[in-house]
Amino acid sequence: MSETQITFANVSRFYGEVLGINNVNLSIPPGITSLVGPNGSGKTTLMNLMTGLIRPTQGDISVLGIQPSHPERLCRMVGYCAQFDAFPKGLTGHQFIYWFLRMHGMSHAECEEKTAAALERVSMTPAAERPVGAYSKGMRQRIKLAQAIAHDPQVLVLDEPLNGLDPMARAETIALFREWGEKGRYVIVSSHILHEVDQISDQVILLSQGYVVAEGQIQGVRSEVKEQPMQILVRCDNPGGLAARLFQDHHMVEAKISNDRKGLLLRTTDADSFYLLLNHVVLESGLEVESVAPADDDVNSVYQYLIGAEGGTV
Amino acid sequence: MSPLWLRQIGAVLRLELKKTFFSKRGWWIYCLAIGPVVITLLHWLFELRRPGDHHHTLGEDSMIFAGLFLFFYLRATIFFGCMGIFSNLFRGEMLEKTLHYYFLTPMRRELLVAGKYLAGLAVALTLFVGSTAAAFLTLSRHFGPAWSDYLYHGPGLSQLGSYMLVAALGCVGYGAVFLMCGLLFRNPLIPAAVVFVWENLNPFLPDLLKKISIIFYLKSLCPVEVPVPPPFSVMVVESDPTPMWIAVPGLLAVAAILLIYSAISARQTEINYGE
């Protein structure tokens, strides 16, 4: 078992006869990893498994070398912002974090210090003495996040952490994920908001109906989707001429010229050949190219290609 | 600094006491604890107004308290009170979907069980042992100096100590039973009903079966024996009471076994809120 990665080896989890996840093999490196998939695809099951809240029906899980069946070791290095929107009765935001840390065995002074820091980090200090029951959805989300980061864990697992947050809080939260990821820690996020996943993720895991459909860096995943022609946007001074030249080659599927007549959106089944050909065209015809960029190597496109039709709503 | 496990148990204990002691949800448990005290208070006030020659004797009051303790405290107050307190320690968290809060801490589940049990026990002991003492001290106050004499120079204090010990052991034993029920059963009322029937059938069971219960040992420790009233008395199977040196450690051992089993079960418990 790797002590530098989070690994799932042939992991399955069934709820009675209902499939949670099936035969999952994963290695999650440091950085921000997003779990993407429709409702019921197994994202929360995967997160609950790696935090020890549920056990696999079969297979082995290791979080930096520790099995989730040992919460006394695991929970020191894992913080989990779960989707459950319930809190122990009668506690204020401050007490919610404070008692969580006390159960880690920390001293009163240490708990006070870490509680204050966590509350500050999620901008909840002014509301800290109010009962959690009186919080708005966004505030509850932030206090859960504060709880997850309070003990400074190496692994942060976040189930739909951006739900209910206003744009400002969302930006702050994303900044926190980035900061955590840049420190070389492990941030595992599930989210329905694909363009935000796209912005923050170092790698993605696409899930559908309990199976891992794809995993890795999004560009790599996109290039593996051979059956969907790659879309590339070229901005140049003569898109019509370029399109005519490119269509002499068999891997071109479609080309559209933009309304400003400066852009050409191409669909090709062989991106590498296309880039090679473009170099030749530029050299041969003196075409002035302003930019060349893939147009569908984002999470949203990959999601649509791999899951969209069968996956239902995200 | 104290060891980690002790700090963790202490944290759970204090959090639980903060959450549950004097919570509105437990109103009926407080009523159960106050109920017998109210009865003895009324008895005292009623006796104060009666003409002198119509008073019960101290011996009769002693029997009244023994009956109250056996039928009200042991079979109702402590039994149902412990059911309300202990079966909710885990089941309540599952129903409120808050158990993951504890499960996400780096604490052995055994320590969580111990912390929660101790919190429940602190509440139960305060309520039920306190109520027992209050009821005992109130019942015969109308005897004035004779009551003081009975208490300080007669068997009064010793009886009070025995009743408090039995009430405490009842909380320890039933607490362990109901904590386990709350962990193992989705609806702990069903096993509680089974335990209730079993405990109440105890006087009519054969000697061997009698001993597989908590009430049998508690009854053995009571300072005053209460006869079963007719017509049930004809069905009673007589049995020798268990000596104190067996009953007390025996009850503590049974509670410990149940708690160990609960701790093992807690290690296997998953977060499944039925979503």
Side-chain angles (χ1 to χ4, degrees):
Chain A
M1 289 286 180
S2 168
E3 292 193 4
T4 55
Q5 294 206 323
I6 299 164
T7 56
F8 284 68
N10 299 313
V11 174
S12 298
R13 166 70 200 202
F14 290 84
Y15 300 95
E17 291 183 2
V18 179
L19 171 69
I21 55 168
N22 195 14
N23 208 23
V24 167
N25 288 287
L26 282 175
S27 286
I28 302 175
I32 303 176
T33 302
S34 293
L35 300 182
V36 180
N39 292 334
S41 58
K43 302 188 292 294
T44 299
T45 298
L46 213 59
M47 291 184 154
N48 286 347
L49 282 166
M50 74 175 86
T51 52
L53 294 186
I54 57 174
R55 291 187 309 283
T57 310
Q58 67 170 51
D60 293 309
I61 302 165
S62 160
V63 178
L64 312 187
I66 298 171
Q67 292 193 331
S69 54
H70 297 288
E72 60 276 11
R73 293 175 62 204
L74 180 86
C75 293
R76 291 213 177 274
M77 59 169 62
V78 175
Y80 184 21
C81 175
Q83 220 176 10
F84 312 120
D85 198 24
F87 301 84
K89 272 204 165 61
L91 298 188
T92 64
H94 176 274
Q95 289 167 340
F96 178 65
I97 314 286
Y98 174 85
W99 284 108
F100 181 72
L101 294 173
R102 284 310 298 250
M103 287 190 281
H104 279 65
M106 294 179 198
S107 68
H108 168 73
E110 199 177 356
C111 291
E112 284 291 2
E113 185 193 328
K114 285 185 183 291
T115 302
L119 288 165
E120 187 63 38
R121 190 67 191 79
V122 298
S123 309
M124 282 293 287
T125 308
E129 298 309 322
R130 283 166 51 190
V132 180
Y135 283 176
S136 67
K137 167 83 179 161
M139 291 164 96
R140 292 201 301 273
Q141 201 67 18
R142 279 190 280 161
I143 204 76
K144 284 196 291 185
L145 188 59
Q147 182 213 338
I149 63 170
H151 57 296
D152 204 26
Q154 190 68 17
V155 179
L156 201 51
V157 183
L158 307 147
D159 199 352
E160 304 284 354
L162 302 173
N163 267 6
L165 296 183
D166 60 44
M168 187 75 165
R170 198 168 274 199
E172 285 175 8
T173 308
I174 288 174
L176 186 142
F177 300 163
R178 285 212 173 106
E179 181 194 316
W180 220 265
E182 282 163 8
K183 284 181 188 167
R185 299 186 183 190
Y186 301 74
V187 183
I188 294 127
V189 189
S190 78
S191 179
H192 284 159
I193 304 161
L194 294 181
H195 73 272
E196 279 172 344
V197 167
D198 212 24
Q199 281 176 33
I200 62 174
S201 305
D202 295 319
Q203 54 267 327
V204 292
I205 295 167
L206 267 74
L207 291 152
S208 179
Q209 296 175 3
Y211 291 87
V212 173
V213 178
E215 63 161 310
Q217 294 187 339
I218 194 65
Q219 291 79 10
V221 173
R222 173 63 187 96
S223 64
E224 292 297 313
V225 187
K226 303 283 188 201
E227 62 272 22
Q228 289 287 346
M230 183 83 95
Q231 292 186 31
I232 299 167
L233 179 65
V234 182
R235 290 196 65 82
C236 61
D237 61 345
N238 184 11
L242 176 63
R245 173 64 186 85
L246 292 175
F247 265 108
Q248 290 170 12
D249 210 276
H250 66 277
H251 56 75
M252 295 305 300
V253 176
E254 191 182 351
K256 281 183 197 165
I257 296 175
S258 63
N259 290 341
D260 67 357
R261 310 205 62 80
K262 294 278 185 187
L264 181 66
L265 182 67
L266 299 154
R267 293 182 73 215
T268 172
T269 53
D270 188 345
D272 292 339
S273 299
F274 160 76
Y275 289 125
L276 208 57
L277 182 60
L278 183 64
N279 288 340
H280 285 302
V281 173
V282 169
L283 289 172
E284 284 168 9
S285 64
L287 185 77
E288 282 194 25
V289 177
E290 188 186 318
S291 65
V292 182
D296 68 345
D297 67 346
D298 55 7
V299 175
N300 198 16
S301 305
V302 172
Y303 182 89
Q304 292 304 326
Y305 295 150
L306 291 177
I307 301 173
E310 59 181 283
T313 55
V314 189
Chain B
M1 206 171 187
S2 51
L4 175 65
W5 64 270
L6 204 57
R7 277 178 277 144
Q8 290 185 315
I9 288 180
V12 176
L13 174 64
R14 276 176 288 166
L15 173 61
E16 287 302 302
L17 287 177
K18 181 175 169 40
K19 275 170 53 192
T20 53
F21 216 171
F22 296 123
S23 71
K24 285 181 199 159
R25 258 185 322 172
W27 65 269
W28 63 273
I29 297 168
Y30 309 125
C31 288
L32 276 175
I34 292 166
V37 182
V38 172
I39 291 171
T40 52
L41 261 174
L42 289 174
H43 170 80
W44 171 47
L45 292 172
F46 184 71
E47 288 291 321
L48 274 179
R49 285 164 178 254
R50 284 172 78 172
D53 53 344
H54 287 92
H55 282 316
H56 291 132
T57 62
L58 260 174
E60 283 172 332
D61 268 12
S62 172
M63 281 302 290
I64 289 172
F65 188 81
L68 181 78
F69 186 76
L70 182 64
F71 294 108
F72 206 121
Y73 273 105
L74 289 186
R75 294 193 194 279
T77 299
I78 293 176
F79 183 90
F80 289 110
C82 285
M83 187 187 85
I85 293 168
F86 290 91
S87 64
N88 271 322
L89 288 174
F90 280 92
R91 186 54 50 190
E93 303 284 359
M94 287 181 201
L95 291 174
E96 287 175 3
K97 304 182 179 179
T98 51
L99 189 58
H100 65 281
Y101 180 68
Y102 299 88
F103 277 18
L104 289 173
T105 59
M107 189 192 311
R108 287 183 165 279
R109 300 272 169 88
E110 295 88 333
L111 299 183
L112 180 60
V113 169
K116 278 187 167 274
Y117 177 74
L118 289 176
L121 198 58
V123 175
L125 291 179
T126 307
L127 289 177
F128 305 131
V129 178
S131 169
T132 302
F136 184 88
L137 292 172
T138 312
L139 188 75
S140 306
R141 281 182 67 89
H142 54 278
F143 285 110
W147 168 239
S148 300
D149 197 45
Y150 176 77
L151 202 58
Y152 298 116
H153 304 295
L157 271 187
S158 155
Q159 284 185 2
L160 175 61
S162 296
Y163 284 125
M164 287 171 74
L165 174 70
V166 175
L169 286 172
C171 295
V172 169
Y174 288 128
V177 169
F178 289 121
L179 183 134
M180 192 183 72
C181 290
L183 256 170
L184 296 184
F185 298 94
R186 205 169 270 273
N187 182 359
L189 284 180
I190 295 166
V194 172
V195 175
F196 182 73
V197 170
W198 181 256
E199 293 286 280
N200 279 283
L201 282 177
N202 189 268
F204 316 113
L205 294 175
D207 200 36
L208 187 67
L209 291 180
K210 265 183 203 291
K211 290 175 181 167
I212 310 171
S213 72
I214 286 175
I215 194 82
F216 175 76
Y217 300 101
L218 294 179
K219 264 175 69 180
S220 302
L221 293 169
C222 285
V224 178
E225 197 180 337
V226 183
V228 176
F232 304 109
S233 52
V234 293
M235 294 186 283
V236 169
V237 178
E238 290 299 337
S239 168
D240 292 333
T242 310
M244 188 172 174
W245 65 271
I246 292 179
V248 175
L251 264 172
L252 293 176
V254 168
I257 289 166
L258 294 176
L259 286 174
I260 289 167
Y261 188 71
S262 298
I264 293 167
S265 303
R267 275 201 86 83
Q268 307 299 321
T269 301
E270 295 188 339
I271 295 297
N272 177 10
Y273 296 139
E275 286 169 330

